[in-house]
Amino acid sequence: MTNKNLIDLEALSVDQIAKLIKKAKKIMQSPADYRHACDGKILATLFYEPSTRTQMSFQTAMLKLGGRTIGFDNPMNSSVSKGENLKDTISVIGGYADIIAIRHPVEGTAKAASLYSGVPLINCGDGGHLHPTQTLTDIVTLSCEKGRLDHMKIGVCGDLLNGRTVHSLIKTLAKYEGNSFVLISTKELSVPLYIIDILEKNNCKYEISHSLSDAISDLDVLYMTRIQRERFKSEDEYEAQKNVFVLDREKLDRARDDMIILHPLPRVNEITVDIDDDPRALYFKQAQYGMYGRMALILLLLQDEDFVIASRETQLCSQHCNNPKCVTQSEAYLPNLSYRKLGMQMCDFCDKRID
Ligand code: CP
Protein backbone atom coordinates (compact mmCIF):
# COMPACT_ATOMS: atom_id res chain seq x y z
CA MET A 1 0.00 0.00 0.00
CA THR A 2 1.20 3.54 -0.75
CA ASN A 3 2.33 5.23 2.45
CA LYS A 4 0.25 8.32 3.22
CA ASN A 5 0.86 8.29 6.98
CA LEU A 6 2.77 11.19 8.50
CA ILE A 7 4.41 9.80 11.64
CA ASP A 8 7.74 11.62 11.56
CA LEU A 9 8.56 14.69 9.48
CA GLU A 10 11.97 13.10 8.90
CA ALA A 11 10.29 10.80 6.38
CA LEU A 12 9.68 13.79 4.10
CA SER A 13 12.31 14.94 1.63
CA VAL A 14 13.40 18.56 1.48
CA ASP A 15 11.43 18.81 -1.79
CA GLN A 16 8.27 17.51 -0.12
CA ILE A 17 8.69 20.01 2.73
CA ALA A 18 9.13 22.78 0.15
CA LYS A 19 5.94 21.59 -1.57
CA LEU A 20 4.01 21.73 1.71
CA ILE A 21 5.26 25.23 2.49
CA LYS A 22 4.45 26.43 -1.03
CA LYS A 23 0.94 25.02 -0.77
CA ALA A 24 0.43 26.62 2.69
CA LYS A 25 1.47 30.01 1.29
CA LYS A 26 -0.87 29.65 -1.68
CA ILE A 27 -3.76 28.88 0.68
CA MET A 28 -2.86 31.91 2.84
CA GLN A 29 -2.85 34.14 -0.24
CA SER A 30 -6.21 33.01 -1.61
CA PRO A 31 -8.16 30.95 0.96
CA ALA A 32 -11.39 31.29 -1.03
CA ASP A 33 -9.89 29.12 -3.79
CA TYR A 34 -9.77 26.19 -1.34
CA ARG A 35 -13.21 26.58 0.25
CA HIS A 36 -14.56 23.45 -1.46
CA ALA A 37 -11.31 21.52 -1.90
CA CYS A 38 -12.37 18.80 0.56
CA ASP A 39 -16.16 18.81 0.06
CA GLY A 40 -17.58 15.51 1.26
CA LYS A 41 -14.41 14.45 3.12
CA ILE A 42 -14.30 13.64 6.83
CA LEU A 43 -11.41 14.15 9.24
CA ALA A 44 -11.40 12.14 12.50
CA THR A 45 -9.53 13.78 15.37
CA LEU A 46 -8.71 11.17 18.02
CA PHE A 47 -7.16 13.00 20.96
CA TYR A 48 -6.24 10.72 23.86
CA GLU A 49 -4.33 13.62 25.43
CA PRO A 50 -5.33 17.29 25.92
CA SER A 51 -4.76 19.80 23.13
CA THR A 52 -5.96 23.23 22.10
CA ARG A 53 -3.97 24.20 19.01
CA THR A 54 -3.29 20.91 17.28
CA GLN A 55 -6.79 19.57 17.61
CA MET A 56 -8.63 22.79 16.82
CA SER A 57 -6.30 23.85 14.02
CA PHE A 58 -6.81 20.47 12.34
CA GLN A 59 -10.56 20.78 12.77
CA THR A 60 -10.55 24.36 11.48
CA ALA A 61 -8.30 23.36 8.60
CA MET A 62 -10.75 20.69 7.45
CA LEU A 63 -13.77 23.00 7.89
CA LYS A 64 -12.04 25.74 5.87
CA LEU A 65 -11.42 23.19 3.12
CA GLY A 66 -15.12 22.36 3.00
CA GLY A 67 -14.86 19.02 4.81
CA ARG A 68 -16.34 17.86 8.12
CA THR A 69 -14.93 16.43 11.33
CA ILE A 70 -15.71 13.67 13.84
CA GLY A 71 -13.77 12.47 16.85
CA PHE A 72 -13.17 12.71 20.59
CA ASP A 73 -10.97 14.79 22.84
CA ASN A 74 -11.50 12.64 25.89
CA PRO A 75 -11.07 8.91 25.29
CA MET A 76 -13.10 8.22 28.44
CA ASN A 77 -16.15 9.34 26.46
CA SER A 78 -15.39 6.69 23.84
CA SER A 79 -15.27 2.89 24.04
CA VAL A 80 -11.63 3.18 25.06
CA SER A 81 -13.15 3.51 28.57
CA LYS A 82 -14.59 -0.01 28.15
CA GLY A 83 -11.18 -1.42 27.32
CA GLU A 84 -11.18 -1.19 23.51
CA ASN A 85 -7.67 -1.46 22.15
CA LEU A 86 -6.04 0.89 19.68
CA LYS A 87 -6.19 -1.59 16.79
CA ASP A 88 -9.96 -1.97 17.04
CA THR A 89 -10.63 1.75 17.43
CA ILE A 90 -8.54 2.61 14.39
CA SER A 91 -9.91 -0.26 12.28
CA VAL A 92 -13.42 1.09 12.88
CA ILE A 93 -12.69 4.83 12.49
CA GLY A 94 -10.82 4.11 9.26
CA GLY A 95 -14.16 2.91 7.89
CA TYR A 96 -15.88 6.19 8.82
CA ALA A 97 -13.34 8.89 8.01
CA ASP A 98 -11.13 9.78 5.04
CA ILE A 99 -8.19 10.88 7.18
CA ILE A 100 -7.26 10.49 10.86
CA ALA A 101 -5.34 12.85 13.16
CA ILE A 102 -4.27 11.17 16.42
CA ARG A 103 -2.59 12.33 19.64
CA HIS A 104 -1.68 9.88 22.38
CA PRO A 105 0.44 10.06 25.55
CA VAL A 106 2.29 6.82 24.73
CA GLU A 107 5.37 6.81 22.47
CA GLY A 108 4.96 5.08 19.12
CA THR A 109 1.15 5.06 19.19
CA ALA A 110 0.73 6.90 15.88
CA LYS A 111 3.00 4.41 14.14
CA ALA A 112 1.07 1.53 15.74
CA ALA A 113 -2.26 3.04 14.70
CA SER A 114 -1.05 3.48 11.12
CA LEU A 115 -0.66 -0.31 10.81
CA TYR A 116 -4.43 -0.69 11.15
CA SER A 117 -5.64 2.42 9.32
CA GLY A 118 -6.94 2.12 5.79
CA VAL A 119 -6.83 5.91 5.41
CA PRO A 120 -4.01 8.47 5.82
CA LEU A 121 -3.07 8.98 9.45
CA ILE A 122 -1.25 11.95 10.99
CA ASN A 123 0.77 11.90 14.20
CA CYS A 124 -0.35 14.84 16.35
CA GLY A 125 2.06 13.96 19.16
CA ASP A 126 2.98 10.62 20.73
CA GLY A 127 4.20 11.03 24.29
CA GLY A 128 7.61 12.69 24.49
CA HIS A 129 8.55 11.24 21.09
CA LEU A 130 7.48 13.28 18.03
CA HIS A 131 5.14 16.07 16.97
CA PRO A 132 5.63 16.46 13.21
CA THR A 133 2.82 18.92 12.51
CA GLN A 134 4.18 21.28 15.17
CA THR A 135 7.42 21.23 13.21
CA LEU A 136 5.43 21.87 10.05
CA THR A 137 3.95 24.88 11.87
CA ASP A 138 7.44 26.04 12.87
CA ILE A 139 8.96 25.77 9.43
CA VAL A 140 6.02 27.48 7.71
CA THR A 141 6.52 30.30 10.26
CA LEU A 142 10.28 30.45 9.64
CA SER A 143 9.82 30.45 5.90
CA CYS A 144 7.26 33.27 6.05
CA GLU A 145 9.00 35.36 8.72
CA LYS A 146 12.71 34.78 8.06
CA GLY A 147 12.40 33.97 4.37
CA ARG A 148 14.59 30.87 4.67
CA LEU A 149 15.13 27.57 6.49
CA ASP A 150 18.93 27.61 6.28
CA HIS A 151 21.89 29.58 7.68
CA MET A 152 20.21 30.38 10.99
CA LYS A 153 21.45 30.24 14.55
CA ILE A 154 18.61 28.73 16.54
CA GLY A 155 18.45 28.72 20.32
CA VAL A 156 16.16 26.08 21.80
CA CYS A 157 15.41 26.59 25.46
CA GLY A 158 13.60 24.77 28.28
CA ASP A 159 12.64 21.12 28.50
CA LEU A 160 14.83 19.68 25.77
CA LEU A 161 14.54 16.17 27.18
CA ASN A 162 10.78 15.74 27.06
CA GLY A 163 9.90 18.38 24.48
CA ARG A 164 8.90 16.41 21.40
CA THR A 165 8.51 19.65 19.43
CA VAL A 166 12.19 20.41 19.92
CA HIS A 167 13.25 16.94 18.80
CA SER A 168 11.21 17.15 15.61
CA LEU A 169 12.41 20.72 14.89
CA ILE A 170 16.11 19.94 15.32
CA LYS A 171 15.84 16.80 13.19
CA THR A 172 14.23 18.78 10.39
CA LEU A 173 16.37 21.92 10.47
CA ALA A 174 19.55 19.85 10.68
CA LYS A 175 18.90 18.89 7.04
CA TYR A 176 19.33 22.49 5.87
CA GLU A 177 22.74 23.98 5.18
CA GLY A 178 24.39 26.33 7.62
CA ASN A 179 22.01 25.96 10.56
CA SER A 180 23.54 25.88 14.02
CA PHE A 181 21.92 25.31 17.40
CA VAL A 182 22.35 26.53 20.95
CA LEU A 183 20.84 23.96 23.32
CA ILE A 184 19.81 25.90 26.43
CA SER A 185 18.63 23.75 29.33
CA THR A 186 19.54 22.41 32.72
CA LYS A 187 21.73 19.31 32.76
CA GLU A 188 18.71 17.21 33.81
CA LEU A 189 16.60 18.34 30.85
CA SER A 190 19.22 18.25 28.11
CA VAL A 191 18.42 16.79 24.67
CA PRO A 192 18.52 12.99 24.32
CA LEU A 193 21.76 11.60 22.92
CA TYR A 194 20.09 10.51 19.69
CA ILE A 195 19.48 14.19 18.86
CA ILE A 196 23.17 14.95 19.41
CA ASP A 197 23.95 12.01 17.07
CA ILE A 198 21.71 13.56 14.40
CA LEU A 199 23.40 16.95 14.75
CA GLU A 200 26.83 15.36 14.43
CA LYS A 201 25.82 13.17 11.52
CA ASN A 202 24.58 16.27 9.68
CA ASN A 203 27.75 18.23 10.55
CA CYS A 204 25.61 20.82 12.35
CA LYS A 205 27.40 23.10 14.77
CA TYR A 206 25.88 23.12 18.25
CA GLU A 207 26.66 24.56 21.67
CA ILE A 208 25.30 23.55 25.03
CA SER A 209 24.38 26.47 27.30
CA HIS A 210 22.96 26.75 30.80
CA SER A 211 22.32 30.51 30.54
CA LEU A 212 19.60 32.10 28.44
CA SER A 213 21.04 35.58 29.17
CA ASP A 214 24.41 34.59 27.72
CA ALA A 215 23.03 32.73 24.71
CA ILE A 216 20.35 35.16 23.55
CA SER A 217 22.44 37.99 22.08
CA ASP A 218 23.58 36.12 18.99
CA LEU A 219 20.45 34.25 17.85
CA ASP A 220 18.28 34.47 14.73
CA VAL A 221 15.55 32.44 16.38
CA LEU A 222 14.77 31.71 20.03
CA TYR A 223 12.49 28.68 20.42
CA MET A 224 11.16 28.62 23.99
CA THR A 225 9.46 25.53 25.42
CA ARG A 226 7.41 24.68 28.47
CA ILE A 227 8.74 22.40 31.20
CA GLN A 228 6.59 19.31 30.58
CA ARG A 229 5.11 18.74 34.01
CA GLU A 230 3.10 15.69 32.88
CA ARG A 231 6.29 13.80 31.93
CA PHE A 232 8.01 14.08 35.35
CA LYS A 233 8.14 11.18 37.80
CA SER A 234 7.45 13.44 40.79
CA GLU A 235 6.16 16.92 41.54
CA ASP A 236 9.41 17.73 43.39
CA GLU A 237 11.45 17.08 40.25
CA TYR A 238 9.16 19.38 38.27
CA GLU A 239 9.31 22.11 40.94
CA ALA A 240 13.12 22.07 40.77
CA GLN A 241 13.01 22.83 37.03
CA LYS A 242 9.99 25.01 36.42
CA ASN A 243 11.44 28.49 36.96
CA VAL A 244 14.98 28.02 35.71
CA PHE A 245 14.56 29.61 32.25
CA VAL A 246 12.18 32.55 31.98
CA LEU A 247 12.36 34.95 29.06
CA ASP A 248 11.66 38.40 30.50
CA ARG A 249 12.17 41.97 29.31
CA GLU A 250 15.66 42.22 30.78
CA LYS A 251 16.90 39.18 28.85
CA LEU A 252 15.09 40.17 25.66
CA ASP A 253 16.84 43.54 25.74
CA ARG A 254 20.07 41.65 25.06
CA ALA A 255 18.67 40.08 21.84
CA ARG A 256 19.02 41.36 18.29
CA ASP A 257 16.18 43.41 16.76
CA ASP A 258 15.70 40.79 14.03
CA MET A 259 15.61 37.78 16.36
CA ILE A 260 12.21 36.12 16.44
CA ILE A 261 10.70 34.31 19.41
CA LEU A 262 8.76 31.13 18.75
CA HIS A 263 7.00 28.82 21.20
CA PRO A 264 4.84 25.81 20.34
CA LEU A 265 2.50 26.80 23.22
CA PRO A 266 0.88 26.29 25.66
CA ARG A 267 2.96 28.70 27.72
CA VAL A 268 3.10 28.42 31.50
CA ASN A 269 5.53 31.04 32.83
CA GLU A 270 8.60 30.67 30.62
CA ILE A 271 7.83 33.88 28.70
CA THR A 272 6.54 36.79 30.73
CA VAL A 273 3.27 38.21 29.42
CA ASP A 274 4.69 41.73 28.92
CA ILE A 275 6.77 40.36 26.04
CA ASP A 276 3.69 39.43 24.00
CA ASP A 277 3.51 42.95 22.49
CA ASP A 278 7.13 42.94 21.37
CA PRO A 279 7.28 42.70 17.53
CA ARG A 280 9.73 39.82 17.90
CA ALA A 281 7.17 37.69 19.77
CA LEU A 282 5.59 35.60 17.02
CA TYR A 283 4.12 32.66 18.92
CA PHE A 284 0.47 33.55 18.40
CA LYS A 285 1.06 34.19 14.70
CA GLN A 286 2.95 30.88 14.61
CA ALA A 287 -0.17 29.04 15.82
CA GLN A 288 -2.11 30.57 12.92
CA TYR A 289 0.55 29.58 10.40
CA GLY A 290 0.09 26.05 11.75
CA MET A 291 -3.48 25.96 10.57
CA TYR A 292 -2.40 26.79 7.00
CA GLY A 293 0.35 24.18 7.19
CA ARG A 294 -2.23 21.60 8.27
CA MET A 295 -4.59 22.62 5.45
CA ALA A 296 -1.73 22.04 3.02
CA LEU A 297 -0.95 18.66 4.59
CA ILE A 298 -4.56 17.45 4.42
CA LEU A 299 -4.76 18.48 0.77
CA LEU A 300 -1.52 16.81 -0.25
CA LEU A 301 -2.32 13.59 1.62
CA LEU A 302 -5.83 13.35 0.21
CA GLN A 303 -5.39 14.72 -3.29
CA ASP A 304 -1.80 14.58 -4.51
CA GLU A 305 -0.97 11.08 -5.75
CA ASP A 306 2.69 12.03 -6.02
CA PHE A 307 2.88 13.04 -2.36
CA VAL A 308 3.92 9.63 -1.06
CA ILE A 309 5.74 9.32 2.26
CA ALA A 310 8.87 7.19 2.34
CA SER A 311 8.60 3.96 4.36
CA ARG A 312 11.67 2.61 6.07
CA GLU A 313 12.65 -1.01 5.73
CA THR A 314 11.54 -2.95 8.78
CA GLN A 315 11.89 -6.52 9.96
CA LEU A 316 10.31 -8.71 12.59
CA CYS A 317 12.62 -9.00 15.56
CA SER A 318 12.66 -11.74 18.20
CA GLN A 319 13.27 -9.23 21.00
CA HIS A 320 10.55 -7.05 22.50
CA CYS A 321 11.22 -3.32 22.92
CA ASN A 322 12.05 -2.68 26.57
CA ASN A 323 11.34 1.06 26.60
CA PRO A 324 8.69 1.31 29.36
CA LYS A 325 7.11 4.26 27.52
CA CYS A 326 6.73 2.38 24.21
CA VAL A 327 3.28 1.49 22.86
CA THR A 328 4.38 -2.15 22.53
CA GLN A 329 4.12 -2.41 26.35
CA SER A 330 0.41 -1.56 26.42
CA GLU A 331 -0.78 -2.92 23.04
CA ALA A 332 0.53 -6.47 23.40
CA TYR A 333 -0.63 -7.74 19.96
CA LEU A 334 1.78 -5.41 18.10
CA PRO A 335 4.48 -7.16 16.08
CA ASN A 336 8.09 -6.63 17.23
CA LEU A 337 8.97 -4.43 14.27
CA SER A 338 12.46 -3.04 14.10
CA TYR A 339 14.86 -1.34 11.69
CA ARG A 340 18.64 -1.10 11.47
CA LYS A 341 20.41 2.18 12.09
CA LEU A 342 24.16 2.66 12.40
CA GLY A 343 24.49 -1.08 13.03
CA MET A 344 21.90 -1.02 15.84
CA GLN A 345 18.45 -2.59 16.06
CA MET A 346 15.86 0.12 16.71
CA CYS A 347 12.19 -0.18 17.68
CA ASP A 348 10.04 0.88 14.73
CA PHE A 349 7.47 2.42 17.08
CA CYS A 350 9.42 4.49 19.62
CA ASP A 351 12.83 4.67 17.85
CA LYS A 352 14.69 3.45 20.93
CA ARG A 353 17.51 0.92 20.66
CA ILE A 354 16.37 -2.67 21.16
CA ASP A 355 19.60 -4.69 21.42
N1 CP B 1 1.63 23.11 20.36
C1 CP B 1 0.71 22.22 20.70
O1 CP B 1 0.84 21.02 20.41
O2 CP B 1 -0.34 22.72 21.39
P1 CP B 1 -1.58 21.87 21.91
O3 CP B 1 -1.04 20.91 22.94
O4 CP B 1 -2.52 22.86 22.48
O5 CP B 1 -2.13 21.13 20.74
Side-chain angles (χ1 to χ4, degrees), residues 50-55 103 131 134 264-266:
S51 166
T52 297
R53 278 145 293 274
T54 314
Q55 184 194 25
R103 171 174 287 188
H131 192 352
Q134 180 59 50
L265 304 177

Side-chain angles (χ1 to χ4, degrees), residues 16 23 97 176 214 257 274 336:
Q16 285 177 310
K23 179 68 86 180
Y176 293 84
D214 290 348
D257 289 344
D274 59 318
N336 291 338

